[in-house]
Amino acid sequence: MNIYDTIGTSYVHTRQPDPRIAAQIHATLGDASDVINIGAGSGSYEPPQTVLAVEPSEVMIAQRPPGAAPAVRAVAERLPVRDGAADAVMALLTIHHWTDPEAGIAELRRIARRRIVVLTWDQQVFRERFWLVRDYLPQAAAFDDERAMPTDVVAELLGGARQEPVPIPHDCTDGFGAAFWRRPQAYLDPRVRAGISMLAQTGDAALAPGLAALEDDLNTGRWQDRYADLLALDSIDVGYRLLVAEL
């Protein structure tokens, strides 16, 4: 069973596209006439010119909004799409879930005519800069150590790609891993954690000590004192990267 058939049930509630991140993604797609979205989930960040979504989870496909591009159930490693099928192909926060990322990236190159856009993260930057995994939930960082592919490796597999930092706004509407960096109370909410794969897959039992410490620090004001510098920031860079390959 696809993991998102289990952890993806609440995505429609906690994972709403952020317009600022959407604008950056759409800018990298440029003048692409048609787009295929791989690992599309519920359709977040799909531009109007999306012609097809590829997603292995029936649960995620069922959450796609009315009027979204047609979706086919398949995996990135074996795309049921002809060579050069679309001007641009995008894969957003998905390659870490693929069983064979190298094969999946080769498939992206096969079906794209001009451009590939991948949203992923630099795990080293993430675990160094993001207070949640650095100071409270090292178990989640360790989980991601096993599945995160270095961005330089992704860029090489793409045949060369430029990397753009994706700053995360303090009021980000898309509840992925670091979205609540200035709203720490959110990480104590089980529904929020259910929409963040590194937390949902690590599991509450392993996270319990760190979550208890976070709750105590929030109640006593230690968190606010320790991270006072964050409260003055509008956005931060914790390692999320857009990789853009021109073919």
Side-chain angles (χ1 to χ4, degrees):
M1 183 177 65
N2 186 278
I3 186 63
Y4 274 91
D5 286 344
T6 301
I7 71 171
T9 56
S10 65
Y11 261 48
V12 72
H13 301 294
T14 63
R15 298 294 299 270
Q16 295 301 310
D18 186 273
R20 294 148 294 191
I21 296 174
Q24 186 174 358
I25 291 169
H26 294 172
T28 64
L29 291 167
D31 60 352
S33 59
D34 49 7
V35 176
I36 294 177
N37 187 13
I38 308 301
S42 59
S44 293
Y45 303 108
E46 288 179 1
Q49 65 268 39
T50 304
V51 295
L52 181 68
V54 178
E55 167 57 44
S57 168
E58 290 182 347
V59 168
M60 298 302 289
I61 290 174
Q63 295 179 75
R64 294 176 62 81
V72 61
R73 190 178 180 207
V75 296
E77 297 87 343
R78 295 182 300 278
L79 296 174
V81 179
R82 62 177 172 82
D83 294 0
D87 214 17
V89 176
M90 67 181 198
L92 309 180
L93 293 179
T94 180
I95 62 173
H96 55 288
H97 292 299
W98 300 352
T99 57
D100 187 346
E102 292 188 14
I105 292 172
E107 283 285 83
L108 301 186
R109 288 173 54 83
R110 179 181 67 81
I111 70 169
R113 291 193 298 271
R114 287 203 299 138
R115 185 173 298 120
I116 301 171
V117 174
V118 172
L119 175 60
T120 185
W121 76 95
D122 184 316
Q123 174 65 0
Q124 183 175 349
V125 174
F126 188 79
R127 59 157 43 248
E128 287 176 357
R129 295 185 184 176
F130 185 32
W131 60 265
L132 181 69
V133 297
R134 184 189 64 221
D135 302 330
Y136 292 96
L137 304 179
Q139 303 90 339
F143 177 81
D144 271 353
D145 286 344
E146 297 297 321
R147 62 179 187 163
M149 179 175 284
T151 56
D152 288 346
V153 173
V154 178
E156 182 178 357
L157 291 171
L158 288 169
R162 73 176 190 270
Q163 300 189 36
E164 295 185 9
V166 180
I168 310 305
H170 72 92
D171 54 353
C172 184
T173 60
D174 189 353
F176 53 79
F180 304 99
W181 60 270
R182 217 179 80 176
R183 296 167 288 168
Q185 192 73 32
Y187 293 111
L188 302 178
D189 184 340
R191 190 170 74 164
V192 168
R193 296 198 301 275
I196 299 172
S197 66
M198 69 168 178
L199 303 184
Q201 292 183 263
T202 301
D204 280 351
L207 300 178
L211 292 173
L214 174 59
E215 184 172 24
D216 186 60
D217 284 355
L218 287 169
N219 289 338
T220 61
R222 283 192 296 266
W223 188 94
Q224 293 83 349
D225 292 339
R226 187 177 188 181
Y227 306 104
D229 57 326
L230 294 180
L231 301 178
L233 300 178
D234 290 328
S235 65
I236 59 170
D237 174 8
V238 289
Y240 290 95
R241 299 289 182 264
L242 274 171
L243 278 62
V244 184
E246 305 290 349
L247 304 179

